[in-house]
Amino acid sequence: MTLGFSVDELLPKARGGGQLKMGLLALSEEDWLQPAPHVNARAQGFADFPEAVQLSPEGEAAGRELAAMLGVDGGLPQAAKAHWEDMCLLTRRNDENFYRLVGAAVAFPSDWRPADKMGLPLAAMHAPIQGFAEQLASGVDHFMAKLRPGRLFGRCNWFITPTPAMRWIAAAPEQAFADVTAANAGEALFVRSERQTLRRLPETGAILFTIGVYVAPLGTLSDANISRLAGSVGTLIMGEGDRRGAPHYAAALQGFARARGIAIAGA
């Protein structure tokens, strides 16, 4: 199974709305990382965001193992700079049954700051996500505990943003989407998709979580994906839509779809 490496390819595999779920797909080694990374863009991204790299002593050995696995000299920062994907390392202490973030090389974060998450368990890291603790936390911890070296899984998600910026920190949605209308939504709204993968490093046992970010203007997507998004914004679980700013762009997105003659999925 392949996820693809563009917004148009990723969206059909992403959760639309409704209950949260991991939605993992088994991947092959060939489908792990983007085959032709834009390393200049990555270098600039790290240069523009000095706090992108966070590494605790607990993550140093895993960072070196990752770099060696990828044929890169150094550790976690060098591995991430040589590839399109941001990279995070999670480990479990002997006296704990959950994983903590011990390393992050994240040039293109989606509304989070690596320094704020270091050392936190997964449940605390995802506390802002409505429904994570109730619907996903125990399942994610169980999956990670059982993940074997050599197995590789992927998933993807999506956000609607008012900017094509690769490093995105959400502003107040009533201001960020204030000028978006059905007439300009094709150019004013951007669809941001994260292509995420999980695997266990064989020597240290650390979990590697990669995040490849892809962004495209709404109007450049296929009619099927515009239909999918227009339907999904109305089915996000309680609280999730507010966190994503959906009340401030949903009408414009759906109006844009109707103006293009695109039926709204589920309507």
Side-chain angles (χ1 to χ4, degrees):
M1 184 69 180
T2 182
L3 284 172
F5 294 93
S6 71
V7 175
D8 250 341
E9 292 176 310
L10 292 168
L11 279 177
K13 289 98 170 178
R15 166 181 163 267
Q19 183 172 343
L20 299 181
K21 53 186 179 181
M22 292 184 70
L24 293 171
L25 298 173
L27 302 177
S28 66
E29 285 287 343
E30 292 73 23
D31 198 42
W32 177 27
L33 302 176
Q34 181 173 309
H38 306 297
V39 291
N40 290 338
R42 292 290 288 167
Q44 191 62 54
F46 280 103
D48 292 343
F49 189 42
E51 66 181 86
V53 176
Q54 303 286 329
L55 187 61
S56 73
E58 292 174 278
E60 290 178 357
R64 292 191 294 271
E65 181 185 3
L66 170 62
M69 175 188 292
L70 294 173
V72 177
D73 291 334
L76 172 62
Q78 291 75 23
K81 290 176 183 179
H83 294 82
W84 182 248
E85 290 78 6
D86 288 330
M87 298 182 179
C88 296
L89 295 168
L90 302 108
T91 60
R92 185 174 61 179
R93 296 171 182 169
N94 291 334
D95 60 342
E96 295 177 340
N97 60 359
F98 52 81
Y99 284 81
R100 296 179 180 273
L101 182 67
V102 296
V106 182
F108 303 148
S110 295
D111 198 25
W112 65 289
R113 292 177 172 85
D116 296 340
K117 305 293 186 180
M118 285 295 292
L120 294 181
L122 282 169
M125 287 173 59
H126 292 89
I129 298 178
Q130 188 73 22
F132 181 89
E134 301 82 4
Q135 300 175 21
L136 276 185
S138 61
V140 170
D141 284 336
H142 178 77
F143 169 82
M144 288 193 169
K146 298 297 184 181
L147 182 59
R148 301 190 306 274
R151 299 299 306 279
L152 176 60
F153 293 88
R155 67 183 300 273
C156 49
N157 61 20
W158 58 267
F159 306 87
I160 303 296
T161 73
T163 172
M166 295 302 295
R167 186 176 73 257
W168 171 59
I169 301 296
E174 63 273 15
Q175 299 173 8
F177 297 106
D179 298 325
V180 179
T181 66
N184 69 15
E187 298 78 39
L189 292 180
F190 297 84
V191 183
R192 180 185 184 93
S193 187
E194 293 181 327
R195 183 187 191 276
Q196 305 171 348
T197 74
L198 286 157
R199 71 183 306 163
R200 186 182 295 279
L201 302 183
E203 294 179 10
T204 59
I207 300 290
L208 170 66
F209 179 58
T210 73
I211 312 162
V213 174
Y214 301 87
V215 181
L218 174 67
T220 66
L221 301 182
S222 69
D223 286 359
N225 277 331
I226 293 172
S227 171
R228 182 175 288 109
L229 290 169
S232 294
V233 294
T235 62
L236 299 173
I237 65 172
M238 184 179 298
E240 183 185 16
D242 292 335
R243 184 179 64 84
R244 290 179 176 228
H248 303 279
Y249 65 72
L253 193 161
Q254 292 172 340
F256 171 78
R258 293 189 184 99
R260 286 263 296 256
I262 299 172
I264 296 176

